[in-house]
Amino acid sequence: MQTKPIRPVSGHVFLRDGARGAVWYAKWRDQQGQHQRRLGPVWPGRGAPPDGWFRARTRSGRPPADVTAALEPLLTEARRGGLRQARTGVTFADAAEEWLRHGEHERRLKRSTLVDYRSAVRAHLLPAFGRLPLEAVSGSVIERWRSDWLAEHGGPRTAAKLVTILHGIFERARRAYGLEQNPAADVERLRLRYDPAAFDFYSPEEVLALARAAASQQDGAIYLTAAFAGLRRGELLALDWRDVDFERRVIRVEGNYSHGQVVAPKSGKGWAVPLVDDVARALAKLGHRERFTGPDDPVFAGEAGERLDGSALRRRFKAAQRRAGLRPLRFHDLRHTFG
């Protein structure tokens, strides 16, 4: 029977340019796989660098002595097995549930954020890592999983988001269960490029056609406000009449309607957007209705003065698209016209 050969421990240092300057990193491989750790930034001044900083490359292009000296203890401990994760006795599924619990009760995350996180964990992360002990998930394991996920699903932005969630789960596990290292911190980030051509949106003429095909005057005003003021669906449904300032020609965005309640906007703070002529005329017509025009009444109100149901609004939006003969886009894409 052949025995598995013992892999020698080896490593090197390299420079990576960041937004705040160059940073030295160490990368090494042992029996557990490949690891990476940030050593520290390059000292931009002259003379000996202060603690936590390192010199730049030498004239010959080699790493300076202080950087290679910082690598040696890592290789020594790797040879001794000192960098292996401590046995926590906790599975990834346990750690994920603790992270979600902590987010709900201690961090007080919004309900919509929690729903999004739970969905991502259950659909993508638990099937891959759920039964594994925490110490069995290394940076290289995560990178291999991400490669497979991208090959099957595509969507680098979603992949990056999932790795961010993994980072949060393991970071919470460090505090809650004594996990020694966060393996997601060693995962190399994907390069995400913004491609304007990848975004489709309606022209102003198409938005006006959509408003004319709306099931009601109010729905038409919603489509115009979404497209020409750049508001999200929840922000539209959270608007009260006191938020519409016809005199100053602005709309103040102070809330977001989500899961039956008005919460803070996605950015966490309010802002104001210009009230353009088409939107001002549409909202002024709504303001002449017989009821629900007080400062605290919703601008876009149901039959009893309640805030509109977002799912029903989305269905009416799809129907208006078909009546107007427009290509199908998401309701959220309306705000890209404003952008």
Side-chain angles (χ1 to χ4, degrees), residues 67-77 79:
V67 176
T68 55
L71 172 66
E72 283 306 316
L74 299 177
L75 299 181
T76 300
E77 288 204 24
R79 294 185 182 103

Side-chain angles (χ1 to χ4, degrees), residues 217 221 225 239-252 272-289 292-295 297-300:
Q217 182 185 73
T225 308
L239 281 180
D240 292 330
W241 282 111
R242 66 172 178 269
D243 300 321
V244 182
D245 192 332
F246 288 100
E247 182 178 350
R248 292 182 174 83
R249 307 285 289 185
V250 297
I251 297 175
R252 288 182 289 271
V273 294
L275 179 61
V276 301
D277 290 343
D278 288 314
V279 177
R281 284 192 293 267
L283 296 183
K285 291 179 181 178
L286 283 186
H288 291 146
R289 65 193 178 199
F292 315 129
T293 58
D297 288 324
V299 174
F300 307 116

Side-chain angles (χ1 to χ4, degrees), residues 119-133:
S119 176
V121 168
R122 290 172 179 170
H124 301 288
L125 301 183
L126 289 183
F129 308 108
R131 297 182 180 181
L132 295 178

Side-chain angles (χ1 to χ4, degrees), residues 38-181:
R38 181 182 187 273
L39 296 177
V42 172
W43 174 242
R46 297 182 178 179
D51 290 343
W53 294 76
F54 294 90
R55 293 182 175 89
R57 291 187 186 276
T58 63
R59 291 183 179 179
S60 64
R62 295 181 178 180
D66 55 348
V67 176
T68 55
L71 172 66
E72 283 306 316
L74 299 177
L75 299 181
T76 300
E77 288 204 24
R79 294 185 182 103
R80 295 173 180 170
L83 292 181
R84 295 177 183 174
Q85 293 281 27
R87 293 281 173 182
T88 62
V90 176
T91 66
F92 177 84
D94 297 330
E97 188 57 37
E98 163 60 21
W99 177 71
L100 291 168
R101 184 208 63 78
H102 179 72
E104 180 177 4
H105 297 289
E106 272 81 20
R107 296 178 61 200
R108 302 285 183 179
L109 296 177
K110 294 180 183 178
R111 183 178 175 184
S112 58
T113 301
L114 283 168
V115 169
D116 184 42
Y117 284 164
R118 287 190 184 276
S119 176
V121 168
R122 290 172 179 170
H124 301 288
L125 301 183
L126 289 183
F129 308 108
R131 297 182 180 181
L132 295 178
L134 284 180
E135 59 272 11
V137 185
S138 64
S140 58
V141 168
I142 295 174
E143 288 191 345
R144 285 197 298 270
W145 164 79
R146 185 179 64 183
S147 296
D148 294 340
W149 191 95
L150 283 168
E152 180 179 354
H153 301 279
R157 292 186 182 277
T158 302
K161 175 183 174 181
L162 292 173
V163 173
T164 299
I165 292 176
L166 282 171
H167 188 282
I169 291 172
F170 284 109
E171 195 63 25
R172 176 60 188 163
R174 284 202 319 113
R175 294 174 171 84
Y177 305 118
L179 189 69
E180 287 189 4
Q181 290 178 299

Side-chain angles (χ1 to χ4, degrees), residues 10-11 26-30 33-37 74-75 78 83:
S10 61
K27 181 178 285 189
W28 70 97
R29 183 180 292 278
D30 58 19
Q34 186 170 277
H35 310 274
Q36 180 174 297
R37 180 177 294 182
L74 299 177
L75 299 181
L83 292 181

